[in-house]
Every structure is written in structure tokens, then in C-alpha cells.
Amino acid sequence: MRVALFVTCLVDLMRPSVGFATLQLLEDAGCSVTVPDGQTCCGQPAYSSGDRAVAQQLAKKVIAEFEGFDYVVAPSGSCADHIRNAYPLLLADEDDWAARAKALSARVFELTDFLCTVLKVDTVAGRFAGSVTYHDSCSGLRGLGIREQPRHLLSKVPGLELREMTAANECCGFGGAFSLKFGDLSAAIAARKCGNVRATQADAIVGGDLGCLLNIEGRLRREGDEQTRVLHVAEVLAGVDGVEHGADAATGGAKGVAGGGAL
């Protein structure tokens, strides 16, 4: 099975450990993984900002780079949702591109959905001595139906206790450009989310979208919480320490995960 890893901008630039963890999980499951080294953005920021022309250009670029693989997997519900659900709409008026967008969209998966739905993974390499609570990202939950998949996989991690927080399915306040345009409202939403996290007394909050996690971690630290770990689900499942591995790869960003070609 030939799988292309769509790394995502935030993973590449902010936390490469998520990309390496995703790669490990896919390879452990028997996939032959390629990281196309020309990949950039999926185009969601342009699309959300109303720049349709740029969003279309980026959609065509992604399609051309990724359509030759059996599947495309992203450690992000947000990016996977955009490629799967927005590309066919963006390119609906261009016959050739419309067909290519539709064909690719059927093969694009968020990581935990791919591991559960396609690969039927039932064991993972990671171990976690402690408790976690899980945040459902808006795009993954509502656009792709990602809810039970990460929880099922986390239940396979030895030592891990899952503590559900109140309103786990509510927004963290990030929303990309939303957090910039409506800063006060975003901060209030984030504060409520962090209150729900702390109420569980979990050792870590885990999620599937790095944008959400960076937003939550920023709020936790500003509120003086230096103890609660903030981890991507891929890091937990693979047993990768996000801080240490991210620091090792931080010198490269694009030279790390997204510059490797076939892996």
C-alpha cells in the first residue's frame, strides 16, 4: 500500500515530531510511505479568507503532487477535511480538475481514521504512564466524523487512562484567522476549554490538530499552568516525546519530515 504523508504547515514548522510519529505509525502498520518534498499548504487559510483564486491554485498543486498514491494521510482533521470536502467544490466548474479533485478526495484520510477504518490497527507502540483528556477539533469532528477513532486507539496504549472533559466537542477558540479577527472572543473560549481540561486533573491534553493544541497550550501557560502536557495523538500512539523530538528536528522544519522524499 503506497501512502503519501501530507505533513501540514504547522507540523512542519512548529512541531516536526508529529510528522515523525505519523510516519512511524504508518510504517509500523505496513505502509510504504512517501513524503512528497514539494508539498506546501493545502490552501485552507486562503479559502477561509475568501481568496478563492489562491485556494484553487493550491488545490491543483496538491492534487498534482498527491494523486498518484493509494491513499493520502494527514495528522490533521482540518487539512484532511479541506482537501476531501472543499477541493471538489472549489474546482467543480473545471471538468478535468473536478474529476481529479473528486478522485483524490475519496483517498484522503485523517490519521486516526485511516488507522482505524482502513488499516484496522489494534495495537500501537506507545506507552503512557498517566491520564489524558481528549479535545475534539471542530473540522475533524464535524467535517469527517472523527470522534471514536482516536479514543479507540488511545485505549490500546498501555498505562493510559482517558478522562473525558466537559464539552470535549466544543471549539478551543482557535479557528485559524478567527483567533486573529476576534481576539477577545477567542481568548474567552480558550479559557473555558482550559478550565474544562484542568477539571479532569489529567496529566495531558491530547488532540488531533496542532492548531488547536498550540492555542490551548498557549492559554494554559499564560494562566500559569506549566504542568499539563499538550500532546498530539500521533505522539502518544507512537511513543514519541513531542518536546525532545521536536527540538531535534527544529533546525530543519522542511528539511526534516517534508524534505525526505520516499521514506
Side-chain angles (χ1 to χ4, degrees), residues 66-148:
F66 285 85
E67 63 186 345
F69 297 90
D70 298 324
Y71 293 98
V72 177
V73 176
S76 164
S78 180
C79 295
D81 173 48
H82 183 68
I83 297 172
R84 183 189 289 186
N85 295 321
Y87 279 18
L89 298 176
L90 271 171
L91 302 173
D93 296 333
E94 302 182 47
D95 292 342
D96 179 49
W97 283 108
R100 293 167 71 178
K102 186 175 181 180
L104 181 66
S105 70
R107 304 196 302 275
V108 173
F109 285 83
E110 180 271 343
L111 173 62
T112 62
D113 190 25
F114 185 71
L115 294 174
C116 287
T117 304
V118 179
L119 299 181
K120 311 295 185 184
V121 167
D122 207 44
T123 59
V124 294
R127 294 178 177 272
F128 191 92
S131 56
V132 308
T133 191
Y134 194 84
H135 164 69
D136 298 294
S137 68
C138 295
S139 293
L141 177 65
R142 294 165 180 84
L144 300 174
I146 308 299
R147 187 184 185 282
E148 297 305 323

Side-chain angles (χ1 to χ4, degrees), residues 163-178:
R163 299 180 182 178
E164 293 287 358
M165 76 174 94
T166 299
N169 63 345
E170 288 187 2
C171 181
C172 71
F174 179 54
F178 173 84

Side-chain angles (χ1 to χ4, degrees), residues 43 45-57 90:
Y47 181 75
S48 300
S49 299
D51 193 338
R52 188 178 183 85
V54 170
Q56 288 174 323
Q57 290 172 5
L90 271 171

